[in-house]
């Protein structure tokens, strides 16, 4: 590997996204499978927490839906059991992560996506993923302190990027 090649890797435009495996995904034992899909895609895990979500955090997270009739159901569900909160980094990770997740309604989600392969019901759709870079930044700051995120470069980076 030449020094020029390493410099080029450092110039890759990386972004971060927030993902949360919801209580149904945890209870069904899908944590490893879900993480595996993002690792195999080539994204880098930079933050990971296993936690019981407080009502306050849940309400902040779903604040955009506060006036909708399903808001209280979202809060109740996300606080009903343990959640795996994650931050992933990579080129185009926000859009790619959403494709890996699949449509919100698992019955409409394509086979090969997380929801298409494992989801059954819109109210139990296994995983949350940020829908835009700005949303990801907001959600990451809600769920993680800066010092809880680890910036690192996997040794396989040269095999993923020119």
């Amino acid at each position: 590997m030449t020094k020029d090649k390493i410099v080029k890797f450092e110039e890759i435009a990386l972004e971060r996204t927030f993902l949360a495996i919801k209580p149904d995904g945890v209870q069904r034992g899908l944590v490893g499978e879900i993480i595996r899909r993002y690792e195999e895609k080539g994204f880098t895990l930079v933050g990971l927490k296993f936690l019981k979500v407080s009502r306050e955090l849940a309400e902040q997270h779903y604040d955009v839906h506060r006036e909708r009739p399903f808001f209280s159901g979202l809060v109740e569900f996300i606080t009903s059991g343990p959640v795996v909160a994650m931050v992933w980094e990579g080129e185009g990770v926000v859009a790619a992560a959403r494709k890996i997740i699949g449509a919100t309604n698992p019955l409409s989600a394509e086979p090969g996506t997380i929801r298409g392969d494992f989801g059954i019901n819109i109210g139990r759709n296994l995983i949350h993923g940020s829908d835009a870079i700005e949303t990801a930044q907001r959600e990451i700051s809600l769920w993680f302190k800066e010092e809880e995120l680890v910036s690192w470069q996997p040794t396989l980076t040269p095999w993923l990027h020119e």
Side-chain angles (χ1 to χ4, degrees):
M1 190 69 46
T2 67
K3 185 174 183 174
D4 292 339
K5 199 70 162 167
I6 293 170
V7 170
K8 189 172 182 182
F9 295 141
E10 293 171 0
E11 295 172 4
I12 295 169
L14 298 178
E15 58 189 43
R16 288 181 172 176
T17 196
F18 173 78
L19 300 176
I21 303 172
K22 298 176 183 180
D24 55 330
V26 173
Q27 292 289 342
R28 290 181 57 195
L30 295 172
V31 172
E33 170 65 24
I34 290 170
I35 290 173
R36 181 191 64 77
R37 290 179 182 220
Y38 290 97
E39 286 180 326
E40 284 186 350
K41 182 70 174 175
F43 295 124
T44 304
L45 183 62
V46 296
L48 179 73
K49 286 183 180 180
F50 183 67
L51 70 154
K52 183 87 166 44
V53 180
S54 69
R55 176 166 286 285
E56 178 185 5
L57 176 56
E59 288 178 354
Q60 288 175 322
H61 178 80
Y62 287 122
D63 189 59
V64 66
H65 301 299
R66 189 173 295 276
E67 301 305 318
R68 297 195 172 150
F70 55 84
F71 174 76
S72 63
L74 290 173
V75 171
E76 289 303 316
F77 181 63
I78 201 77
T79 59
S80 69
V83 168
V84 175
M86 302 174 284
V87 178
W88 289 88
E89 184 176 79
E91 191 174 6
V93 72
V94 173
R98 297 285 294 186
K99 286 182 180 180
I100 293 168
I101 291 170
T104 302
N105 185 341
L107 298 177
S108 304
E110 294 292 323
T113 65
I114 293 166
R115 290 176 177 157
D117 290 350
F118 303 110
I120 298 167
N121 179 284
I122 196 166
R124 300 291 181 265
N125 64 12
L126 307 167
I127 185 169
H128 164 83
S130 301
D131 61 2
I133 292 172
E134 298 76 22
T135 308
Q137 291 168 343
R138 179 187 165 275
E139 292 174 346
I140 290 167
S141 69
L142 276 176
W143 291 76
F144 288 87
K145 297 175 187 161
E146 187 60 39
E147 61 269 15
E148 295 175 317
L149 302 175
V150 179
S151 291
W152 64 290
Q153 187 177 72
T155 57
L156 65 98
T157 301
W159 303 105
L160 297 172
H161 304 282
E162 291 186 66

